[in-house]
Amino acid sequence: MTKGLSAVNIAALTLGFAFLYLPIVILVLYSFNDSQLVTVWGGFSTRWYVSLLHNEQLLEAAWVTVRLGLLSATVATVLGTLAAVTLTRMGRFRGRTLFSGMVYAPLVMPEVITGLSMLLLFVAIGLDRGFLTVTIAHVTFSMCFVAVVVQSRLVSFDRSLEEAAMDLGCPPFRTFFVVTLPIILPAVVSGWMLAFTLSIDDLVISQFTTGPGATTLPMRIYSSVRLGVKPEINAVCSILIGLVTIGVIAASIATKRAENERLKAERAAAAGR
């Protein structure tokens, strides 16, 4: 068995990373292009970032996207965590198969089908399409991703910690918030970030369920690109890439620190026995 990477593996990794990240690098570089032609380099400039600050349509769409992502991710995280706890702790209750299928259906359902079904539902109940309907749709399809992430953590959870807390007189409801939730918090945070990312990235479902005053940033970008790519689009995409990168790094650092603190607490508890 040879150690290290061979030339073939290095070449494959290089091509793979280039295929994935080179278009992103080019997009960021051309966001600083002085030329109005997005494919012709005209020198370094930040004029399109300044122009973006005066583009009211993109700014309004960005604000709608941020509000939608925060609200839908928070609601989806709460519901997805509760669904994961139900599937993990409630045993074989009546209707478990149906409940599990309804929770995980959006994972395999095409977005076109999900968007169309939500549209038909809102029309049937007479609910005007707008920010509320888009939020409900985003919660519906992102909740299942949170449930999968949290359930994977609950499956490997040490139930003896909860049992010890309840043996000492802690009620089950308080045990969940004092013992269980802090331990599974990294998974909950990861689920929230995944739901937020899916929300700000969604286009198809939003197209079906949107209404006046609820145009998201992907929808605005898509409508602009159909008429030709403008330099401001490169600028706003670069800002999104930067924000997502910062968020991922911050979440990774926070998760790592929380894991280190948990390991230190477990070592201290084991040493005190």
Side-chain angles (χ1 to χ4, degrees):
M1 180 176 180
T2 58
K3 296 182 179 180
L5 295 175
S6 64
V8 176
N9 291 335
I10 294 176
L13 286 174
T14 303
L15 291 175
F17 281 115
F19 178 78
L20 291 174
Y21 296 108
L22 188 59
I24 298 177
V25 174
I26 294 176
L27 183 145
V28 174
L29 289 177
Y30 272 89
S31 68
F32 297 97
N33 186 14
D34 187 57
S35 174
Q36 292 186 357
L37 301 176
V38 294
T39 58
V40 178
W41 182 258
F44 183 85
S45 175
T46 58
R47 59 180 293 194
W48 303 118
Y49 287 90
V50 178
S51 176
L52 180 63
L53 297 177
H54 299 87
N55 193 322
E56 295 183 359
Q57 291 183 340
L58 283 177
L59 292 178
E60 182 181 357
W63 175 235
V64 171
T65 302
V66 171
R67 290 190 294 124
L68 176 63
L70 293 175
L71 179 59
S72 63
T74 302
V75 177
T77 300
V78 174
L79 296 179
T81 302
L82 294 177
V85 172
T86 301
L87 292 173
T88 307
R89 302 296 174 81
M90 297 302 176
R92 301 295 302 179
F93 58 89
R94 178 177 297 179
R96 174 187 170 87
T97 303
L98 177 61
F99 178 75
S100 178
M102 293 178 64
V103 170
Y104 296 132
L107 283 171
V108 296
M109 192 75 66
E111 289 189 342
V112 174
I113 303 300
T114 302
L116 181 59
S117 61
M118 297 297 294
L119 172 61
L120 295 177
L121 172 65
F122 296 143
V123 172
I125 64 178
L127 183 61
D128 295 333
R129 286 182 292 166
F131 185 82
L132 177 60
T133 56
V134 181
T135 302
I136 295 174
H138 282 206
V139 170
T140 301
F141 80 84
S142 60
M143 180 188 69
C144 58
F145 293 91
V146 179
V148 170
V149 174
V150 177
Q151 186 179 6
S152 64
R153 181 65 183 90
L154 286 171
V155 168
S156 60
F157 186 85
D158 188 3
R159 295 290 300 274
S160 63
L161 300 175
E162 295 176 332
E163 294 171 356
M166 288 187 286
D167 288 341
L168 294 175
C170 187
F173 187 76
R174 186 178 179 184
T175 299
F176 175 79
F177 286 97
V178 175
V179 178
T180 308
L181 186 59
I183 296 177
I184 67 172
L185 188 60
V188 175
V189 173
S190 299
W192 185 92
M193 290 191 62
L194 180 59
F196 180 77
T197 304
L198 292 171
S199 177
I200 65 176
D201 181 64
D202 179 73
L203 173 64
V204 177
I205 296 178
S206 299
Q207 290 274 23
F208 281 98
T209 58
T210 190
T215 302
T216 62
L217 189 58
M219 295 172 56
R220 181 66 65 185
I221 292 175
Y222 178 72
S223 61
S224 300
V225 169
R226 287 190 301 174
L227 302 176
V229 180
K230 297 181 180 179
E232 290 92 341
I233 301 300
N234 291 341
V236 70
C237 291
S238 299
I239 293 175
L240 285 176
I241 293 171
L243 293 177
V244 170
T245 302
I246 294 173
V248 170
I249 294 175
S252 299
I253 294 175
T255 302
K256 185 64 176 179
R257 289 181 177 178
E259 185 68 16
N260 291 335
E261 292 295 331
R262 185 182 66 83
L263 293 176
K264 289 181 180 178
E266 289 181 355
R267 294 194 198 100
R273 291 177 182 176

